[in-house]
């Protein structure tokens, strides 16, 4: 009880100073900002005191990895922490109190496409958080024929395809409110 009050006070103090620190494993806001594993990523999976099980494994296009004892495991869309918890459950019948470590060695699943009136259209691999402006920079910028105010971002949300509008001129102008649109893996930016 005393620990709970102390944590609540700590969160209140940190929130007052403009910082929020997630407390508890079930915090959904923290999980939203954690990295999610995707196809083509490379993971280092270690089971403490069992080096014969340790592997560096690529995530297959179907979103799975293969490991000794537990066979195929769906990992795409999980955070490393969620994967660790699943592997602890899967290894428990074979190893008492398994200690599992997950390290994301290489990130290859965060790819976006940039099409249309840009100097170098293509598919680009990103290594971290990126905006529409970052992706346009990777495509070497807009051509002189680009319709800067009508840029679209196509995004998969479940079974739906959503189209978001991005106004380049507003985003880079000093007088307007800058638009920061973060990209997600699989986004397609189209510049008419």
């Amino acid at each position: 009880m005393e620990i709970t009050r102390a944590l609540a006070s700590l969160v209140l103090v940190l929130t007052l100073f403009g910082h929020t620190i997630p407390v508890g494993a079930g915090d959904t806001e923290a999980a939203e900002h954690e990295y999610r594993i995707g196809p083509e990523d490379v993971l280092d999976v270690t089971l403490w005191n069992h080096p014969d099980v340790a592997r560096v494994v690529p995530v297959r296009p179907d979103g799975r990895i293969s490991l000794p004892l537990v066979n195929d495991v769906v990992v795409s869309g999980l955070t490393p922490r969620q994967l660790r918890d699943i592997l602890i459950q899967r290894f428990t019948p074979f190893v008492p109190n398994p200690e599992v470590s997950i390290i994301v060695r290489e990130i290859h699943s965060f790819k976006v496409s940039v099409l249309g009136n840009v100097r170098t259209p293509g598919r680009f691999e990103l290594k971290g958080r990126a905006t529409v402006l970052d992706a346009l920079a990777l495509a070497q910028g807009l051509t002189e024929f680009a319709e800067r105010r009508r840029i679209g971002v196509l995004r998969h949300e479940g079974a739906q395809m959503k189209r978001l509008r991005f106004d380049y001129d507003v985003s880079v102008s000093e007088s307007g409110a800058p638009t920061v649109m973060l990209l997600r893996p699989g986004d397609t930016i189209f510049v008419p």
Side-chain angles (χ1 to χ4, degrees), residues 2-192:
E2 198 63 38
I3 293 172
T4 305
R5 273 192 231 135
L7 287 174
S9 298
L10 179 62
V11 170
L12 177 62
V13 169
L14 290 171
T15 303
L16 288 173
F17 288 101
H19 301 286
T20 304
I21 293 183
V23 178
D27 186 18
T28 55
E29 184 179 329
E32 283 180 18
H33 298 294
E34 284 187 70
Y35 179 75
R36 300 224 172 243
I37 299 165
E40 299 181 33
D41 288 348
V42 178
L43 307 177
D44 188 350
V45 181
T46 306
L47 180 59
W48 189 72
N49 259 354
H50 295 277
D52 50 324
V53 177
R55 296 281 190 279
V56 174
V57 290
V59 180
R60 300 188 314 237
D62 65 355
R64 299 173 189 262
I65 60 172
S66 297
L67 294 170
L69 301 176
V70 296
N71 299 320
D72 287 353
V73 180
V74 176
V75 300
S76 191
L78 299 176
T79 66
R81 186 182 326 179
Q82 290 170 328
L83 175 57
R84 183 199 67 209
D85 294 344
I86 288 170
L87 290 178
I88 286 172
Q89 289 176 349
R90 299 275 299 264
F91 281 124
T92 297
F94 308 104
V95 178
N97 301 318
E99 291 289 328
V100 177
S101 170
I102 305 295
I103 297 171
V104 180
R105 282 234 175 151
E106 298 175 24
I107 297 173
H108 297 291
S109 62
F110 195 164
K111 295 179 182 167
V112 296
S113 299
V114 183
L115 307 171
N117 286 308
V118 292
R119 296 195 194 305
T120 311
R123 191 160 192 211
F124 300 96
E125 189 173 290
L126 305 173
K127 297 297 179 191
R129 290 173 44 132
T131 65
V132 172
L133 291 176
D134 294 328
L136 292 174
L138 287 172
Q140 304 296 310
L142 305 173
T143 67
E144 64 267 14
F145 303 110
E147 294 185 42
R148 305 154 67 101
R149 303 193 79 144
R150 294 187 43 222
I151 296 172
V153 177
L154 301 175
R155 175 172 292 162
H156 291 280
E157 289 195 358
Q160 303 266 341
M161 178 68 80
K162 188 174 180 181
R163 182 184 167 104
L164 306 169
R165 189 162 178 234
F166 181 80
D167 187 328
Y168 180 87
D169 289 338
V170 169
S171 185
V172 299
S173 75
E174 290 183 27
S175 59
T179 305
V180 177
M181 184 183 296
L182 289 175
L183 295 172
R184 294 185 189 165
D187 281 355
T188 300
I189 300 166
F190 181 73
V191 181

